[in-house]
Amino acid sequence: MTFSDISKKMIHFHFSKYKLFFLCNLFVTVLFFCYASIFTNHDFMDNYFVVDSMISSNIILPSILSALFLVLFLPFSYAVFLSARKREYGVLFCLGMRRKEAVRNLMLDGLIVSGFALIAALAIGTVLSALFYGFIRYGLGIEGLKWRFDIAPYQITVLLYGVTTLATILLQGTCMYFPQIAQLLKTPFQAEKKGKILCYLERVSAWFGKSKKIEFSFLVRHKRNWSIRYVMSIFMLTAVIVLVGLCAGINQSFYCDAERYAPYDVLYTDVFDVNYIKEQEVRELANSNHVKITEYSQLGFARDQTFNYFPVSLINEKFGCEYHVNQGQFLNLFPYDLLDGYSHDLTPVSHITLENDLELESIGSDIRILFNQNPTFADRYLILNDTDFKQLAKESTYWSGRIYLLQLDEWKKSADFLKDLQLRLQENNNVSEQDQQIYYAVSSKLEKFRKAHTSSRFLIFVMSYMIGLFCFTQWVLVHFGILAETDEIKRSIHSLRLLGVTRGEVFSYLRFKNKFRFLPQIAVSFLTAQILIWILLHKLYHLEILGCIAGAGVGAFIFCLTALSIKRYSQKEFDRIT
Amino acid sequence: MYVLKAEGLCKSYQTSEGILNVLDHVCFQMKQGEKVAVVGPSGSGKTTFLHALCGIDKPDSGMIQIKDNILSEMSDDELSLFRRKHFGMIFQDFQLLESLNIRENILLPLILDGRDEGEQKRCLQQVASAVGIEKLLDKGITEISGGQKQRVAIARAFIHQPEIIFADEPTGNLDCKSTTDVINCMTKMSENFHTSELIVTHDLYVASFCDRVLLLENGNFTGEICREEKNFAKKVMTLMSV
Ligand SMILES: Nc1ncnc2c1ncn2[C@@H]1O[C@H](COP(=O)(O)OP(=O)(O)OP(=O)(O)O)[C@@H](O)[C@H]1O
Ligand SMILES: [Mg+2]
């Protein structure tokens, strides 16, 4: 018999610990990989036509969290893995094994298991992310987002995982070098002092008339490991609840934005008489599609590459504004709502020179949405004095056009009307459907709401995916923690049974212990998350109450679900132990 | 010539009631082939003393010399190799590995030393029959009794025929008959291979087989009786009833 035979037997004996280590690594890595495959996908992150920038910017936070989680969790799972084997190596040291042999063995073990975990994680992650994109495409019907093989998420995952694992194994593997052998021999039996929190809890529970000395003795074990676990699980649950709150807020803001950015039910423009259609024709189209036009008006404008120009008197008259712009002056108008949650460039232009060498000075700026957005408009809006505007409109280098603003009796029923109108315009213009969409599309409230609806479904799916991953990981974290101490609990329970404790009592001890293992972090996260949601949503959208209610709902749901399943969970543990 | 020598050995623990001086400037020597028993009340520091001598726990201060080597001047590797070749250890709580069966547990010192199969087989045969566990060899650690575990621990300590045996309560879990067997075995070993033995014990019978009995109390040796003295057995009895 050689030492390698012995090593094999030891690995066989500790297989469950290897499995635990493997699974822990697998989970955190899959979690991270899933995010990596989203945030490295340019279609997803930079394509504002398909994915609302609000959604892509909300991927960043959980991605960072999952990376942080990986970096924190790997050393932790390795430490648990090692601590299970310290006494064994202590004995081998007594019998004359050299420390460097032990360290080499342990590092090799760790590296091999970590390597397999990485390969498995990449495989599972690939499948999960393919499912993710598959669902977006076929479940939500959002075109333009495809899963395709991309090396970047693999590179990032391998890099982060590799660096963390190597650093962990190198640093912690040497933990066998330094402690006294006597210390290692005592490892599994070392008593830990109770922390302040536990003492306090004990006193509180004694105050309620029942002393729970034995129950608390189960909780004192591995205090350090558990406090790390608690912190991480609070971290994740808080992320979950905050995400739910944010999701609710953002979701609502999609609809609010649709309302704000579409003051008119229908808007289209003509430029140099292209895209022109007679009023009579529009009204007939409306009638034939069973909608009534309650308001029909138009507004002249001019534009060049960067600016839309509007005459001040028309704007004042039509939208009830009170702008005063003298000759030689202009006003910057930003057609945004600052509570929409997006960031906008609000730096005003101070000085422009028109084609006819007319110099204009800015008199300031205003932020206000007057009418819907449309592809015919340039990015910036300037309001000029009427005289200046007239002069400018005469210049052939500026495109002059008209905006048609329509209100309907029931915009929700305007789908057919809009389609017909679009089609008629396209026929008049004699362009392809694509060009019509790019240059002369009709803007409408209906379309805005439809887009909001798609974005909302998309957001809910993406967030649920992330929330699911986080919830699952935090459960795994606690569950594996409990599994890891099965042997010890078994011994204590056995001793207690010998002292005359009944099976029923043992079960109640386990239930009590599991309550403390699962529930406190949910309660803490619940409170922390409420504060975070309030701060984030208040700043971005003023939708904090909705967010808090949603967060509270989900927090309460997780709490109740966990509380209810503890009995079954404890029953399973009980069966495993006895 | 001393195989083992300790001077001014100190070890203290920080406890909630203050500093506990378990070993307080302890001095000790042991000759080649000598058998020394250390007795003393529970908690007097016998295990601590033993662990310090064989280098698995570090004393706060003091010098330990094993053969010609000063312990604190040896590297960890040297000490490991030294333990592998020359030490046999029996722990109070046995320290057997649950992941291995009894045969493998006993063979560990030879395996670590890279000895071949034939030698492993021969040595195993010899010690197993000496302590009477031939029939148990393929069982797991959890399947045997306390006394049987003790015998496995003894077999593991003797299998590589070490020069020094450190034994912490080697007969604590054995009945009279087994105790006699173990003592006979240990005596035979020390005669055959000139093994030196340092034995911590509560057992009068075991102590009376030793060449010297030391009483450890309040951090130091407070009594010593040699076999050459008159009324050795009687004096040991009085010493141990303290
Ligand atoms: N890690 C430790 N921390 C604090 N005190 C310790 C520690 N280890 C041992 N002690 C204390 O040191 C004293 C000596 O312990 P030791 O195990 O050497 O006693 P012993 O003589 O072997 O007792 P026994 O005969 O019961 O085995 C005891 O009082 C014990 O409480
Ligand atoms: Mg002892």
Side-chain angles (χ1 to χ4, degrees), chain A residues 300-463:
Chain A
F301 80 107
R303 67 160 287 190
D304 57 17
Q305 281 297 332
T306 27
F307 300 110
N308 302 307
Y309 304 94
F310 298 94
V312 65
S313 61
L314 265 179
I315 295 285
N316 283 346
E317 181 193 331
K318 178 122 195 59
F319 302 104
C321 307
E322 290 176 348
Y323 299 136
H324 294 286
V325 183
N326 294 328
Q327 241 178 307
Q329 294 179 331
F330 68 89
L331 177 83
N332 287 277
L333 180 73
F334 296 104
Y336 306 123
D337 188 310
L338 292 186
L339 288 179
D340 61 4
Y342 298 89
S343 60
H344 300 289
D345 179 12
L346 294 178
T347 39
V349 181
S350 60
H351 183 95
I352 53 168
T353 310
L354 299 181
E355 276 298 305
N356 50 9
D357 292 333
L358 201 60
E359 304 259 333
L360 301 183
E361 290 291 332
S362 163
I363 51 162
S365 60
D366 190 27
I367 303 170
R368 186 157 175 171
I369 297 168
L370 300 176
F371 41 77
N372 311 28
Q373 285 164 328
N374 190 277
T376 17
F377 297 142
D379 289 344
R380 287 175 163 273
Y381 292 46
L382 301 181
I383 296 176
L384 311 186
N385 181 273
D386 289 8
T387 322
D388 290 336
F389 181 78
K390 263 182 211 137
Q391 272 203 343
L392 173 143
K394 271 190 264 164
E395 292 288 328
S396 60
T397 39
Y398 295 97
W399 310 332
S400 73
R402 272 160 306 199
I403 304 170
Y404 298 90
L405 303 163
L406 277 65
Q407 297 290 29
L408 306 175
D409 56 347
E410 276 180 282
W411 64 265
K412 282 182 187 152
K413 290 185 182 158
S414 62
D416 293 335
F417 167 58
L418 288 168
K419 213 158 115 196
D420 281 359
L421 178 63
Q422 190 78 265
L423 205 66
R424 184 70 58 87
L425 288 170
Q426 187 192 332
E427 281 165 12
N428 288 357
N429 296 341
N430 205 4
V431 292
S432 69
E433 193 184 337
Q434 202 181 3
D435 284 352
Q436 175 72 21
Q437 279 301 328
I438 295 174
Y439 302 111
Y440 310 110
V442 175
S443 324
S444 66
K445 190 174 264 182
L446 186 74
E447 168 225 73
K448 223 27 190 173
F449 269 88
R450 274 187 179 160
K451 232 178 155 171
H453 191 59
T454 312
S455 291
S456 143
R457 277 194 308 167
F458 186 65
L459 174 83
I460 289 174
F461 167 66
V462 173
M463 289 291 182

Side-chain angles (χ1 to χ4, degrees), chain A residues 10 18 50 96 120 122-123 127 208 212 217 221-222 279 370 406 470 536 572:
Chain A
M10 285 180 175
Y18 280 87
V50 182
L122 293 181
V127 173
F208 278 110
K212 301 246 180 214
S217 76
R221 283 154 222 275
H222 305 294
E279 180 177 350
L370 300 176
L406 277 65
F470 265 134
L536 285 172
K572 279 214 176 118

Side-chain angles (χ1 to χ4, degrees), chain A residues 1-3 6 9-10 13 87-88 91 93-94 96-101 180-182 185, chain B residues 56-58 76-77 80 83-84 89 91 95-100 104 108 111-112 117 120 156:
Chain A
M1 197 171 290
T2 60
F3 189 72
I6 296 284
K9 287 208 76 168
M10 285 180 175
F13 182 79
R87 189 187 73 95
E88 206 165 66
V91 174
F93 291 153
C94 284
M97 184 182 210
R98 270 175 295 184
R99 301 226 184 188
K100 42 173 188 267
E101 292 172 311
Q180 291 296 315
I181 299 172
L185 290 178
Chain B
I56 67 173
D57 204 356
K58 209 180 160 115
D76 197 76
D77 273 1
S80 297
R83 262 202 303 269
R84 185 188 290 189
M89 276 180 255
F91 296 93
Q95 299 287 5
L96 301 172
L97 299 184
E98 280 114 33
S99 48
L100 306 176
E104 292 149 351
L108 264 182
I111 292 170
L112 283 173
E117 295 272 341
Q120 288 182 15
R156 186 178 68 183

Side-chain angles (χ1 to χ4, degrees), chain A residues 518-532:
Chain A
F518 281 103
L519 295 179
Q521 59 268 52
I522 304 182
V524 174
S525 317
F526 186 89
L527 297 176
T528 331
Q530 292 296 329
I531 299 168
L532 285 175

Side-chain angles (χ1 to χ4, degrees), chain A residues 436-578:
Chain A
Q436 175 72 21
Q437 279 301 328
I438 295 174
Y439 302 111
Y440 310 110
V442 175
S443 324
S444 66
K445 190 174 264 182
L446 186 74
E447 168 225 73
K448 223 27 190 173
F449 269 88
R450 274 187 179 160
K451 232 178 155 171
H453 191 59
T454 312
S455 291
S456 143
R457 277 194 308 167
F458 186 65
L459 174 83
I460 289 174
F461 167 66
V462 173
M463 289 291 182
S464 321
Y465 180 76
M466 297 195 294
I467 288 167
L469 284 177
F470 265 134
C471 277
F472 187 58
T473 317
Q474 92 86 20
W475 181 82
V476 165
L477 182 73
V478 178
H479 173 65
F480 281 144
I482 290 174
L483 277 191
E485 53 182 23
T486 300
D487 285 347
E488 260 170 89
I489 299 267
K490 228 182 207 169
R491 261 200 300 270
S492 317
I493 296 281
H494 186 68
S495 314
L496 286 173
R497 291 278 286 141
L498 292 178
L499 292 174
V501 172
T502 65
R503 285 170 67 88
E505 281 169 325
V506 167
F507 180 64
S508 77
Y509 296 159
L510 289 181
R511 240 176 105 175
F512 181 88
K513 174 193 68 121
N514 289 336
K515 270 184 206 160
F516 269 87
R517 289 295 184 227
F518 281 103
L519 295 179
Q521 59 268 52
I522 304 182
V524 174
S525 317
F526 186 89
L527 297 176
T528 331
Q530 292 296 329
I531 299 168
L532 285 175
I533 294 174
W534 187 276
I535 294 171
L536 285 172
L537 285 182
H538 183 73
K539 213 166 153 216
L540 287 176
Y541 320 104
H542 286 220
L543 286 169
E544 61 275 7
I545 296 185
L546 180 76
C548 283
I549 292 174
V554 167
F557 176 73
I558 297 176
F559 190 90
C560 294
L561 194 71
T562 315
L564 288 176
S565 48
I566 279 178
K567 191 173 170 194
R568 276 193 58 194
Y569 185 89
S570 308
Q571 184 65 51
K572 279 214 176 118
E573 193 186 5
F574 183 74
D575 295 341
R576 201 168 53 232
I577 284 173
T578 52

Side-chain angles (χ1 to χ4, degrees), chain B residues 112-124:
Chain B
L112 283 173
D113 206 27
R115 311 275 184 91
D116 62 49
E117 295 272 341
E119 195 178 353
Q120 288 182 15
K121 217 169 178 175
R122 200 162 31 79
C123 295
L124 182 67

